Amino acid sequence: MEELDVSGSFDVHEYRHGLKLLKDDRGTMTLSNRTGFGCPACGNEFETLFISEKRTNTFGNPDSPFCLVRTDDQLLVLTH
């Protein structure tokens, strides 16, 4: 299983072939994992990827486990 490469910075365009865009707002993006990429934090397959370039974010009550990954300029939240 291919894991997302988050060394330095994460480029979503490198993985567009396996991710489906669900939502794109100013500074944030939510994508679904169609191909079965592995989480860069734990190695397991994830369901949804949230990417934020914003300094602050608020999340509701997650229904499933999640991992956080920090790159040079982004916060990635991966739900399982």
Side-chain angles (χ1 to χ4, degrees):
M1 172 182 342
E2 179 184 5
E3 287 185 12
L4 302 180
D5 180 11
V6 294
S7 55
S9 183
F10 175 70
D11 184 2
V12 70
H13 300 292
E14 291 181 22
Y15 299 95
R16 291 295 275 204
H17 63 280
L19 298 172
K20 179 181 179 184
L21 181 63
L22 300 175
K23 188 175 181 183
D24 189 3
D25 292 335
R26 177 184 272 178
T28 66
M29 185 181 296
T30 305
L31 304 112
S32 175
N33 185 5
R34 296 186 312 186
T35 304
F37 291 121
C39 174
C42 70
N44 295 326
E45 184 176 333
F46 63 91
E47 293 178 16
T48 307
L49 169 62
F50 174 80
I51 303 170
S52 178
E53 296 175 355
K54 295 168 50 176
R55 186 169 180 85
T56 62
N57 295 280
T58 302
F59 302 98
N61 187 11
D63 294 335
S64 60
F66 63 92
C67 292
L68 299 174
V69 176
R70 181 81 176 127
T71 68
D72 291 342
D73 54 356
Q74 299 167 318
L75 173 68
L76 282 64
V77 180
L78 303 100
T79 60
H80 297 275

